[in-house]
Amino acid sequence: MTPRPARLRLLLTGLPLVAALPLAACTSTGEPARSPVERQPGPAATPTEPAAARCPEPGVLIRSTGSDAAMGLRALGLELVNCGTGPYALNGYPALAVADEQHQPIRLRVVNGAKEITSGFDAAPRPFTLLPGERATAVVLWRNTFTDTTGAPANGAYLDVAPAAGRPAQAVDPDGPIDLGNTGRIGVSAWKRADPATPAEPPAPSAPSGAPSVAVTPDSRL
């Protein structure tokens, strides 16, 4: 098993620990995010179904590479895989929506670059195109911090991620609770091209925290 400090360094550099997922290009406005999209059940894949048949409709698969909570900083790796047959363009940040155990949306502010949460993730997004089989990575970051002891904590259980604001979202396994304390904010780094030398698993979805969403993630810029 990889020691905790080394595992965190891998997450924070955007390198996948297992295999991950993707999300949206949006500009942080400081406004609370809108409600998460409602999930609708999709067709179930059988064990004998080819991996290509389980590729989501947009031709990309978003998944988690695992999380780490060392030093009080929560970091969840995301990976987006182009499992389709054509090129897929990215330029920006994953779009996030969080819900509690009752599937009720949690109002929060998404910080692009995570500047108010930690440093080192504020690299500006750059446009690039993924060919079939290529991957992109990003990191979701938050802290379980309380600035008001009288306020109730916000604990997310479900996470929806889209490649960019306005694009279809997919349910992603958060690999544990999204314990935001009462900060009401979560950070995300920009998508970056994954190292091609690091192999990805076949594009078969990992066990999600809920049924994939077929709706469109709200655009926080509106």
Side-chain angles (χ1 to χ4, degrees):
M1 178 179 294
T2 304
R4 177 179 287 264
R7 187 166 183 263
L8 178 60
R9 283 196 296 273
L10 287 173
L11 273 174
L12 300 187
T13 54
L15 294 177
L17 292 175
V18 184
L21 47 98
L23 224 306
C26 56
T27 302
S28 177
T29 63
E31 299 279 333
R34 297 183 186 179
S35 300
V37 296
E38 267 194 45
R39 299 184 179 126
Q40 298 181 17
T46 62
T48 58
E49 189 177 3
R54 300 196 297 272
C55 183
E57 185 65 30
V60 294
L61 172 69
I62 300 173
R63 57 194 179 187
S64 164
T65 54
S67 64
D68 201 289
M71 300 176 290
L73 175 66
R74 275 63 164 153
L76 175 70
L78 297 179
E79 180 179 74
L80 182 151
V81 183
N82 182 349
C83 54
T85 58
Y88 191 85
L90 284 172
N91 180 18
Y93 301 86
L96 312 178
V98 180
D100 61 21
E101 291 184 349
Q102 286 72 46
H103 297 274
Q104 295 302 306
I106 294 177
R107 293 183 61 82
L108 50 79
R109 182 163 54 91
V110 178
V111 181
N112 290 336
K115 289 189 270 304
E116 299 172 38
I117 299 168
T118 190
S119 60
F121 295 90
D122 53 358
R126 295 181 178 180
F128 60 94
T129 299
L130 297 177
L131 297 178
E134 292 185 332
R135 299 168 297 117
T137 60
V139 184
V140 180
L141 303 118
W142 70 93
R143 293 184 185 274
N144 184 14
T145 302
F146 287 84
T147 56
D148 179 3
T149 57
T150 63
N155 292 314
Y158 300 96
L159 173 67
D160 279 355
V161 178
R167 297 189 187 180
Q170 299 177 29
V172 172
D173 185 355
D175 195 30
I178 304 175
D179 48 352
L180 303 169
N182 63 358
T183 63
R185 63 177 182 245
I186 190 169
V188 66
S189 68
W191 286 116
K192 58 182 285 188
R193 187 186 299 276
D195 183 356
T198 306
E201 294 182 357
S206 57
S209 58
S213 171
V214 296
V216 172
T217 301
D219 190 337
S220 63
R221 295 171 296 181
L222 300 179

